[in-house]
Amino acid sequence: MKKVEIIILSGFLGSGKTTFLQKILAKEQQAERKVAVIMNEVGKVSIDSDSVPKETPLKELLNGCVCCTLSGEFEIQIAELLREYDLDVIYIETTGVAHPIEVLDTCLSPLLAEKLKIRSIITLVDAVSWINRKKLRIPLQRLIIEQVKHADIILLNKVDCVSKHTQNCIEEEVRSINPSGKIVPTVFAEVNVNELITSEKLENGEHEKVHVTQHLHIKTYVHTFLHPINQKLFEEFLKAMPDTIYRIKGYIRFTESEETLLFQYSYGMPFHTKAGLKMKNTLVFIGDDIDHDILQKILNDIEKKSILPI
């Protein structure tokens, strides 16, 4: 099954997300890739939708944030884009006050997860605003740090407005927060977007250069159980869950009951409720540096043990 890529554009208010989106959409058009955009505005009126080319499928979410009040509508919008268009990639421009992990979490509805591939989180940082961020309220300071911490690519924008020494200091601070993210200094969000959306073939038969966004440190894993599983074995698995797993959500059925349960796990706290419908038993994991092979083996072992005769 072809998976549609998801690229999340994060960054505080005024960091240059829309400018960057315009540039990367032009590059995608040159590459003849089929692109759609979801734009989220906290206000009731769309401000930046005119920046998206008319021929590009666009969904707008207004008067709220996709990571909380509009999460249900957000899932519907993604499902509609997947149903109506044959796409290669969906760009999601978040509000300036959105947490990238919450947005990522909302993207991965258990009903959609197998159709999507999270390609990368790109966070834009305004160099001047970064220097002055401590004038903001503490929650906003923390949010900016979180947006940087969870990015795969950090575009350090407006570096022409600061000295080279200050730029170097900012890069050191950003690197201390996110050692594995790629930092790209930019002016007017101008960047060689070819690096971000394509891979390069090296000459003389060498291995293909790895796309920078294949190094997602915030990773996702989707697992589908073919049979009901033993509740006790699953609960033991959850107790051993490392704190690098932020979220688990989906549908699950235990051997002890016929009912399908809607399962949620957030920061170490699991809970489940009756789903009301018989759904495919699919779980979506979100976390830092998830080892797919190990996780798959553990879950497959749980399933095998669950179907063994007592």
Side-chain angles (χ1 to χ4, degrees), residues 46 66 71 74 93 95 98 103-104 113 120-121 148 161 176 194 230 244 278 282 308:
S46 175
V66 296
S71 60
F74 183 47
E93 182 181 336
T95 72
V103 177
L104 179 60
S120 61
I121 297 172
V148 167
C161 298
S176 69
N194 207 42
N230 181 278
T244 52
K278 191 170 184 179
T282 297
L308 289 174

Side-chain angles (χ1 to χ4, degrees), residues 232-294:
K232 184 177 179 181
L233 291 175
F234 186 69
E235 287 174 352
E236 289 174 356
F237 161 71
L238 292 177
K239 288 177 183 176
M241 190 66 58
D243 58 10
T244 52
I245 301 291
Y246 300 134
R247 298 277 200 279
I248 309 171
K249 63 180 180 178
Y251 297 98
I252 196 164
R253 191 153 53 94
F254 295 126
T255 53
E256 295 81 357
S257 172
E258 292 292 321
E259 293 179 316
T260 299
L261 301 173
L262 174 62
F263 179 81
Q264 301 273 354
Y265 174 98
S266 180
Y267 298 105
M269 296 294 293
F271 62 96
H272 49 71
T273 56
K274 294 178 183 178
L277 297 170
K278 191 170 184 179
M279 308 294 293
K280 192 174 182 181
N281 293 338
T282 297
L283 294 178
V284 180
F285 293 75
I286 301 173
D288 277 328
D289 294 319
I290 294 175
D291 190 313
H292 287 201
D293 293 335
I294 291 176

Side-chain angles (χ1 to χ4, degrees), residues 107-140:
C107 287
L108 292 173
S109 158
L111 301 177
L112 300 175
E114 292 181 323
K115 301 175 183 178
L116 302 174
K117 175 184 178 182
I118 305 301
R119 187 76 180 198
S120 61
I121 297 172
I122 301 175
T123 290
L124 283 91
V125 173
D126 179 328
V128 177
S129 295
W130 179 268
I131 297 168
N132 297 321
R133 71 188 186 283
K134 292 188 177 177
K135 296 178 182 179
L136 298 171
R137 291 182 291 112
I138 295 297
L140 293 179

Side-chain angles (χ1 to χ4, degrees), residues 5 26 32 41 73 79 81 90 95 132 155 173 201 217 237 254:
E5 297 173 12
E32 298 184 343
E41 297 277 4
E73 187 179 344
L81 286 173
I90 298 173
T95 72
N132 297 321
L155 300 186
E173 290 178 342
K201 197 79 172 178
H217 58 279
F237 161 71
F254 295 126

Side-chain angles (χ1 to χ4, degrees), residues 199-211 214:
S199 55
E200 275 177 48
K201 197 79 172 178
L202 297 182
E203 296 179 356
N204 304 323
E206 293 179 320
H207 291 296
E208 186 173 329
K209 181 180 178 182
V210 178
H211 190 301
Q214 289 174 353

Side-chain angles (χ1 to χ4, degrees), residues 153-215:
I153 302 169
I154 301 103
L155 300 186
L156 182 55
N157 198 24
K158 308 180 187 179
V159 293
D160 57 320
C161 298
V162 299
S163 68
K164 188 65 178 176
H165 173 73
T166 299
Q167 177 187 328
N168 291 338
C169 291
I170 295 172
E171 289 185 22
E172 286 181 16
E173 290 178 342
V174 168
R175 197 169 288 110
S176 69
I177 295 165
N178 184 348
S180 60
K182 179 181 176 67
I183 302 172
V184 182
T186 66
V187 176
F188 294 112
E190 187 68 55
V191 63
N192 180 7
V193 293
N194 207 42
E195 291 181 32
L196 310 182
I197 62 174
T198 62
S199 55
E200 275 177 48
K201 197 79 172 178
L202 297 182
E203 296 179 356
N204 304 323
E206 293 179 320
H207 291 296
E208 186 173 329
K209 181 180 178 182
V210 178
H211 190 301
V212 65
T213 57
Q214 289 174 353
H215 293 292

